[in-house]
Amino acid sequence: MSVQKLPLAKAINESLRKALETDPKVLIMGEDVGKLGGVFRVTDGLQKDFGEERVIDTPLAESGIVGTAIGLALRGYRPVVEIQFDGFVFPAYDQIVTQLAKMHARSLGKIKLPVVIRIPYGGGIGAVEHHSESPEALFAHVAGLKVVSPSNSSDAYWMMQQAIQSDDPVIFFEPKRRYWDKAEVDVEAIPGPLHKARVARAGSDLTLAAYGPMVKVCQEAAAAAEEEGKSLEVLDLRSMSPIDFDTIQTSVEKTGRLVVVHEAPVFYGSGAEIAARITERCFYHLEAPVLRVGGFHAPYPPARLEEEYLPGLDRVLDAVDRSLAY
Amino acid sequence: MTVESTAARKPRRSSTKRVSAKKAQPSEPELVQLLTPEGERVEHPDYAIDLTPDEMLGLYRDMVLTRRFDAEATSLQRQGELGLWASLLGQEAAQIGSGRALRDDDYVFPTYREHGVAWCRGVDPTNLLGMFRGVNHGGWDPNTNNFHLYTIVIGSQTLHATGYAMGVAKDGADSAVIAYFGDGASSQGDVAESFTFSAVYNAPVVFFCQNNQWAISEPTERQTRVPLYQRAQGFGFPGVRVDGNDVLACLAVTRSALERARRGEGPTLVEAFTYRMGAHTTSDDPTKYRADEEREAWEAKDPILRLRTYLENEGFADEAFFTELEAESETLGKRVREAVRAMPDPDQMAIFENVYADGHALVDEERAQFAEYQASFAEAASSEKGN
């Protein structure tokens, strides 16, 4: 049976299992990934089946996790490391930015660093401080890194396979509030390119571009808008570095309007990059300025306020109305 | 930095007091020494070494040529041929001693000052100068000589070495890994994390700290309140302090630590107690932060001079050896000078090369735009010519 209905977390688990089975050089590393199976159980059962030499519980030291993964990659391994939560990645940020991202270029191509860094990210689960952030722009800004985020189980399964097989370092942002959402996964399908955006819903009046956790919100917004007679196209970008601007351009040339939606703060965020480039590419097609919906320029708030902070259906639809009013 | 604190840090040895051979007489109780500053062989109960005269001449030659190369690079920086240079002057024994302890299959993770270790690994010294001239960020294939690229961010490479060593252990190989860093780097979290990881995974790695007393203008007192080698104890592996100006002791101690790693007994911290006689790099001025007397005291412990005294006293080398070596040094200096001056600037399009292994749409787009932009100048020039 090649098609299974799996929660997103389980799809990643199955993907990691397949990678461990297929390639003896693949290693899983991180805090609590072994016996516990990770705090979200994404690595559940892997150490039991592949042993402590393949699925490695590490000391609680993020720089050490990434730094030693670099060394293991230099020795020919393909480490997949878990950073337990988004806000915990910063102790490792130096190793990621100054070392992991640049070593291939510095070596004039002699060194390859096939390291995947998994980061459960984003809000919506009522967590405490440092457990709900969306720092993807900080990584996408760094040349040498690739940054992706799946929005559903099927993508999660296949994008993880592709990230592990990539010879470039990949920052793999997992939308933690979608971990329990079930969807069909065809484990024998032939996946599209890792960095190709997906048209999640076709429409003709306006384009909503999102990735990761916000794709579902945008699809709900499009369904609600349909009841009001508006036809919204929803793009699932899937990759923040590189960004598939061709797919966005094609959509905007059709609809004439674009709203970019993400959880991360709007200021200097990926929406700004998309707005600028799409304005350059589609200036004469645009009927309205590109609008952005996202987080505020403030620390991620306490859990009781996150519903106000996170873009929900109403804020997305409000931006849609503003765009259509031009 | 006060003169008092400098004095407190110095090994307390009177330069007039001669030690008798065969008697262990380290300047500090914990300092492993096999060759005194006066060029006399002494024994150490844990670190015996038995080298032929030819092997000792080889070590001497390595140190002299490394110093000559370093002097040439310093000159080239002063002449504007290099943007920067990090001199190893004074640290030749630490680098040649540890470098010659390595086997071909061992792997080295250097800082940006390991020119002597690079020499031992067979990296062409001219390749070390590309990054200082500004034509690349590396300049050699790390896997050709098992000598990783220089790492500028302090201490980062100790984690890479640890991870690599974890891989060596997984492979079941008996190679060892050595990570170089300085006293300043010992303050970095990455170094502490590499100690933790290497200890808990029993990784076959040797941490070779060249304590050259200064992290740019910050003295060792600003990095630690305990002798650095003692840090290892808290992580659960041995630490040893060696006279970093004694090439024989550096060789013996590093060899022993590497053998320990190969036997599967885990990491060792070696602190080579030495002195950076020049500036941190050509950008700083050590006269602003340290006393002349300090340098003079360390000059008396010069690693090259003491081996020469020993070689001469034992009759292992005659005048012809030193004359020939002098000529060889000059040839090396000339070769390095010419190679640097002949080093071409990289092609403009190199900016976009090797950013990614598998390619990246944005890089491709910017490459094409830049190529078009550059080509527009050529077109403008040719149409002007045509007119």
Side-chain angles (χ1 to χ4, degrees):
Chain A
M1 181 62 190
S2 66
V3 180
Q4 306 168 42
K5 198 159 190 186
L6 298 175
L8 192 148
K10 181 66 177 165
I12 297 172
N13 178 275
E14 290 294 332
S15 190
L16 295 173
R17 175 176 292 278
K18 183 182 177 187
L20 286 163
E21 278 168 359
T22 310
D23 184 351
K25 293 295 186 183
V26 171
L27 305 172
I28 309 291
M29 298 169 66
E31 299 162 12
D32 307 308
V33 299
K35 280 203 177 68
L36 179 66
V39 292
F40 291 104
R41 308 293 182 271
V42 171
T43 55
D44 195 30
L46 298 179
Q47 190 183 65
K48 185 171 137 292
D49 294 342
F50 295 94
E52 292 181 10
E53 286 292 312
R54 302 285 308 282
V55 181
I56 306 164
D57 274 322
T58 64
L60 270 75
E62 284 77 10
S63 190
I65 293 169
V66 174
T68 53
I70 291 171
L72 282 157
L74 293 172
R75 181 69 189 182
Y77 287 86
R78 303 184 88 87
V80 182
V81 311
E82 176 177 303
I83 299 294
Q84 206 158 59
F85 283 95
D86 36 62
F88 302 172
V89 73
F90 297 104
Y93 196 62
D94 167 45
Q95 281 289 345
I96 295 171
V97 171
T98 66
Q99 307 298 323
L100 185 63
K102 296 187 169 74
M103 217 177 265
H104 178 69
R106 277 207 291 136
S107 73
L108 303 177
K110 304 293 186 192
I111 288 173
K112 290 188 171 59
L113 287 171
V115 177
V116 176
I117 300 180
R118 296 182 38 238
I119 308 177
Y121 84 121
I125 64 162
V128 296
E129 195 182 13
H130 312 304
H131 289 66
S132 302
E133 297 173 11
S134 300
E136 62 272 15
L138 297 174
F139 295 89
H141 193 62
V142 178
L145 302 176
K146 290 182 173 172
V147 182
V148 301
S149 177
S151 70
N152 60 74
S153 300
S154 178
D155 273 0
Y157 181 88
W158 284 111
M159 287 168 70
M160 180 60 74
Q161 291 295 307
Q162 292 166 315
I164 293 171
Q165 284 157 18
S166 169
D167 280 334
D168 287 312
V170 178
I171 315 296
F172 198 95
F173 280 104
E174 299 172 3
K176 66 169 91 79
R177 67 163 145 153
R178 306 289 175 229
Y179 269 151
W180 303 278
D181 289 2
K182 281 189 177 181
E184 283 189 348
V185 179
D186 182 349
V187 298
E188 285 167 14
I190 296 166
L194 176 57
H195 303 287
K196 176 104 177 120
R198 179 176 71 93
V199 180
R201 179 192 175 106
S204 54
D205 296 336
L206 180 145
T207 302
L208 287 174
Y211 50 85
M214 293 313 297
V215 172
K216 186 177 178 183
V217 174
C218 288
Q219 282 176 310
E220 288 167 358
E226 190 177 34
E227 291 174 14
E228 299 170 8
K230 297 165 195 161
S231 169
L232 308 189
E233 181 146 300
V234 178
L235 302 183
D236 180 354
L237 298 182
R238 301 170 75 248
S239 172
M240 278 80 76
S241 179
I243 290 174
D244 177 8
F245 287 107
D246 293 343
T247 296
I248 308 175
Q249 180 175 351
T250 301
S251 178
V252 172
E253 285 178 359
K254 180 174 68 173
T255 65
R257 289 180 166 83
L258 175 63
V259 176
V260 189
V261 186
H262 50 61
E263 288 191 14
V266 166
F267 191 60
Y268 277 91
S270 43
E273 181 61 40
I274 293 166
R277 286 194 188 256
I278 289 303
T279 303
E280 277 188 54
R281 286 188 180 213
C282 307
F283 188 70
Y284 292 109
H285 291 277
L286 285 168
E287 305 287 342
V290 179
L291 299 181
R292 294 169 286 158
V293 184
F296 305 114
H297 192 55
Y300 193 88
R304 298 280 179 164
L305 288 175
E306 69 180 342
E307 287 304 317
E308 313 301 321
Y309 177 92
L310 292 169
L313 208 55
D314 290 341
R315 276 173 60 197
V316 174
L317 289 172
D318 177 66
V320 168
D321 289 344
R322 278 190 287 134
S323 178
L324 288 168
Y326 275 92
Chain B
M1 183 64 221
T2 64
V3 175
E4 282 76 13
S5 66
T6 306
R9 202 178 56 253
K10 283 183 205 162
R12 296 194 187 83
R13 186 198 300 108
S14 158
S15 60
T16 54
K17 196 165 141 192
R18 307 280 286 191
V19 291
S20 56
K22 307 291 178 193
K23 188 180 166 194
Q25 188 73 26
S27 57
E28 292 185 15
E30 66 272 32
L31 192 69
V32 177
Q33 194 176 71
L34 296 176
L35 189 64
T36 71
E38 295 77 24
E40 294 188 27
R41 276 284 276 122
V42 288
E43 299 299 326
H44 189 283
D46 302 327
Y47 297 101
I49 195 161
D50 188 17
L51 298 178
T52 66
D54 272 355
E55 285 170 330
M56 291 212 229
L57 294 179
L59 294 173
Y60 182 80
R61 175 177 173 273
D62 288 337
M63 288 200 289
V64 167
L65 293 178
T66 299
R67 179 171 289 188
R68 181 65 185 85
F69 162 70
D70 186 74
E72 190 62 40
T74 303
S75 301
L76 286 164
Q77 195 282 330
R78 296 300 184 220
Q79 292 159 16
E81 299 286 352
L82 302 177
L84 184 78
W85 182 243
S87 167
L88 67 25
L89 184 64
Q91 298 178 222
E92 295 86 352
Q95 295 196 12
I96 299 300
S98 60
R100 286 298 178 207
L102 297 163
R103 262 181 7 198
D104 284 350
D105 59 315
D106 295 337
Y107 214 100
V108 180
F109 287 84
T111 71
Y112 42 77
R113 203 192 294 283
E114 266 62 79
H115 321 312
V117 185
W119 171 269
C120 294
R121 300 307 283 175
V123 177
D124 187 319
T126 61
N127 286 346
L128 303 175
L129 299 170
M131 65 181 284
F132 293 99
R133 188 170 169 86
V135 302
N136 57 44
H137 293 310
W140 58 93
D141 181 349
N143 292 325
T144 302
N145 307 80
N146 281 10
F147 185 79
H148 189 67
L149 300 174
Y150 278 180
T151 297
I152 290 181
V153 177
I154 302 293
S156 296
Q157 75 283 359
T158 58
L159 280 170
H160 309 158
T162 300
Y164 194 95
M166 287 161 63
V168 168
K170 281 185 190 302
D171 293 344
D174 78 337
S175 308
V177 179
I178 189 165
Y180 288 86
F181 61 105
D183 43 307
S186 73
S187 300
Q188 287 279 1
D190 276 1
V191 172
E193 293 189 22
S194 70
F195 288 179
T196 297
F197 275 69
S198 62
V200 301
Y201 295 122
N202 208 41
V205 58
V206 175
F207 296 106
F208 195 90
C209 175
Q210 288 170 85
N211 177 358
N212 69 11
Q213 313 301 326
W214 291 92
I216 307 190
S217 70
E218 305 277 5
T220 310
E221 289 91 333
R222 273 292 153 100
Q223 316 298 336
T224 181
R225 299 301 299 265
V226 298
L228 287 172
Y229 76 96
Q230 291 180 3
R231 290 253 181 105
Q233 192 185 4
F235 290 88
F237 55 88
V240 55
R241 177 179 274 185
V242 60
D243 184 338
N245 286 20
D246 173 353
V247 70
L248 303 183
C250 287
L251 176 60
V253 167
T254 311
R255 191 179 272 170
S256 167
L258 290 165
E259 282 165 4
R260 188 173 175 279
R262 291 185 215 294
R263 288 195 303 269
E265 293 170 28
T268 303
L269 170 61
V270 176
E271 178 192 0
F273 201 77
T274 182
Y275 192 72
R276 181 242 291 162
M277 289 212 259
H280 164 70
T281 69
T282 44
S283 290
D284 68 308
D285 173 9
T287 64
K288 287 175 79 86
Y289 54 81
R290 67 186 190 190
D292 292 344
E293 300 79 45
E294 182 183 292
R295 183 187 151 121
E296 285 160 18
W298 277 94
E299 275 173 357
K301 294 181 254 186
D302 188 299
I304 295 182
L305 206 56
R306 77 170 71 175
L307 184 58
R308 177 170 181 143
T309 305
Y310 176 67
L311 294 174
E312 287 179 330
N313 288 349
E314 294 294 322
F316 291 154
D318 56 16
E319 198 51 42
F321 169 78
F322 295 110
T323 311
E324 279 167 31
L325 186 53
E326 181 64 28
E328 193 182 355
S329 293
E330 286 315 306
T331 306
L332 174 66
K334 188 163 179 280
R335 177 165 82 82
V336 167
R337 192 158 60 243
E338 285 168 359
V340 166
R341 288 179 176 157
M343 229 177 249
D345 285 350
D347 183 82
Q348 289 166 338
M349 301 314 285
I351 292 168
F352 305 97
E353 297 309 313
N354 300 307
V355 182
Y356 292 90
D358 299 339
H360 188 286
L362 177 63
V363 177
D364 293 344
E365 186 183 319
E366 291 185 351
R367 180 196 287 113
Q369 286 169 352
F370 187 68
E372 200 179 323
Y373 173 73
Q374 292 296 340
S376 70
F377 289 101
E379 281 161 23
S382 75
S383 67
E384 214 166 85
K385 206 174 169 186
N387 292 342

